[in-house]
Structures are given as structure tokens and as C-alpha cells.
Amino acid sequence: MSTEKLKNHKIIFVVGGPGSGKGTQCEKIVQKYGYTHLSTGDLLRAEVSSGSERGKMLKAIMEKGELVPLDTVLDMLRDAMVAKADVSKGFLIDGYPREVKQGEEFEKKIAPPTLLLYVDAGKETMVKRLLKRGETSGRVDDNEETIKKRLETYYKATEPVITFYKSRGIVRQLNAEGSVDEVFQQVCSHLDTL
């Protein structure tokens, strides 16, 4: 499947911790700018529930608690991007790359990113938001103990990624402490210049 179609598309990596509000910001970007929002987690879940051969293989891996191979994740991202290339102005790649190697492989297989939006909320803010979400979400991982662990994992993984792309000058850091609209104003100021 050719990635030629993706040559002139904007590709934006969206990085932010659990509770940073990046999901909400992605929705707003989709509405205003006509980008396609792709989350690797959603793609994996959709593939598993489709019952395809690839889905069955993924389900087996995930049930063992193992990580899905990077190549598989990239193939799925590429397929989804190429499928939407004709109707999309750009792509928001959500929660990816989790490590520098993933970013490098993405470029080899797909294309280089235009920007990395870093939705940066403080630790306290993220804990508060996730606990609040836990009151209504019923998600088992929205409790304080688990939240702190998830945040630690996130920071460890993300710092090298941010540093790597900062050296290229494509990181745009958002202060995600404010209201949804305040954060979105920052987003627009970066996207409007593309």
C-alpha cells in the first residue's frame, strides 16, 4: 500500500499524559480543521473486535499481557491513514510515539511529522482530573494508586521523545492547566500557522 498519497498531508503527533485533556483537544481539532484523529489504542481494539486474522493474533498477544509488535502498530496506522488520505486535511496521531524508536520507524514507514503537540498538564492536575473521571467512568484504572503509577510510566517514556523532537524544532508545548477553551486557543495559534 503506497504512502505516496500522504505526501502533502499534515501529520501531528499529540503527546500528553492521562488526564491532560488531549482527547478533548483532539475532538476540537477534528471539528475545526477537518483532521482525522487516529489513536493506536482505538485501532487495536477495532481490529480485535473485527475478528480478522490480524485481530485474532492481536487478541492472543494482548491476553498474555504482552506488547503488540511495533511493525503491526505501524501497518495499522499506515493503512488507516492511506484509507482516509482523500478525505482528510491531516492526521492527529494520538498517544504515539511512546518512545524515540517508534518515531523513527514511523518516519521510515510512513512520513515525518509536521508538528508534535505536547499537551502539558502538571501532575497534580492530571491526578485530580482522573480521580474526578473515576467517580463516573467506572474505569478500574482511575484510582489514586494506579493513577500515580500510570503517570510515572508516562513521564519516563515521554521525556526522551519530547527532547528528540525539540532538537528538530517541531515541538509546540501547550499549557494544559486552563479551561478546555483556553487550551484550544493555544492549539489554534499553532495550527493556524501551518
Side-chain angles (χ1 to χ4, degrees):
M1 197 177 272
S2 162
T3 51
E4 269 306 298
K5 283 178 143 185
L6 303 173
K7 278 280 184 288
N8 304 315
H9 286 66
K10 309 269 181 280
I11 296 175
I12 298 177
F13 288 159
V14 185
V15 176
S20 63
K22 74 178 161 63
T24 309
Q25 294 302 322
C26 284
E27 283 168 27
K28 291 182 77 72
I29 295 169
V30 168
Q31 285 164 3
K32 179 169 179 182
Y33 294 95
Y35 284 25
T36 298
H37 178 203
L38 296 173
S39 139
T40 50
D42 290 348
L43 286 173
L44 288 168
R45 284 186 286 274
E47 189 76 41
V48 168
S49 61
S50 77
S52 68
E53 280 310 306
R54 184 156 70 182
K56 286 181 190 135
M57 180 195 78
L58 291 172
K59 190 175 178 201
I61 294 171
M62 282 148 61
E63 278 171 354
K64 286 187 209 140
E66 290 167 11
L67 284 177
V68 174
L70 180 55
D71 278 349
T72 309
V73 175
L74 283 173
D75 287 345
M76 291 171 64
L77 269 174
R78 188 186 56 201
D79 294 351
M81 289 169 78
V82 171
K84 292 266 164 67
D86 295 337
V87 293
S88 186
K89 301 205 164 113
F91 296 95
L92 298 170
I93 312 293
D94 179 354
Y96 190 95
R98 297 248 162 120
E99 49 189 56
V100 173
K101 185 173 157 256
Q102 292 182 344
E104 292 173 330
E105 289 296 315
F106 182 97
E107 289 189 37
K108 269 188 218 143
K109 270 196 152 182
I110 303 174
T114 315
L115 273 191
L116 184 150
L117 279 184
Y118 179 25
V119 187
D120 187 23
K123 216 175 248 178
E124 295 309 303
T125 303
M126 292 198 278
V127 171
K128 252 200 301 237
R129 287 179 184 167
L130 289 168
L131 286 173
K132 200 172 164 54
R133 186 175 82 184
E135 290 166 16
T136 53
S137 72
R139 276 180 57 162
V140 287
D141 55 358
D142 282 346
N143 64 66
E144 194 147 359
E145 194 52 30
T146 318
I147 288 169
K148 295 216 158 117
K149 281 206 184 100
R150 280 164 67 201
L151 287 177
E152 254 163 61
T153 310
Y154 160 72
Y155 279 117
K156 256 196 217 108
T158 312
E159 273 161 17
V161 171
I162 301 295
T163 308
F164 177 73
Y165 287 106
K166 263 190 181 153
S167 68
R168 293 200 194 173
I170 64 166
V171 173
R172 300 291 176 269
Q173 193 158 347
L174 309 171
N175 174 351
E177 293 288 326
S179 70
V180 169
D181 289 334
E182 283 164 356
V183 179
F184 190 58
Q185 275 179 326
Q186 299 174 62
V187 171
C188 296
S189 70
H190 297 308
L191 295 190
D192 288 345
T193 61
L194 293 181

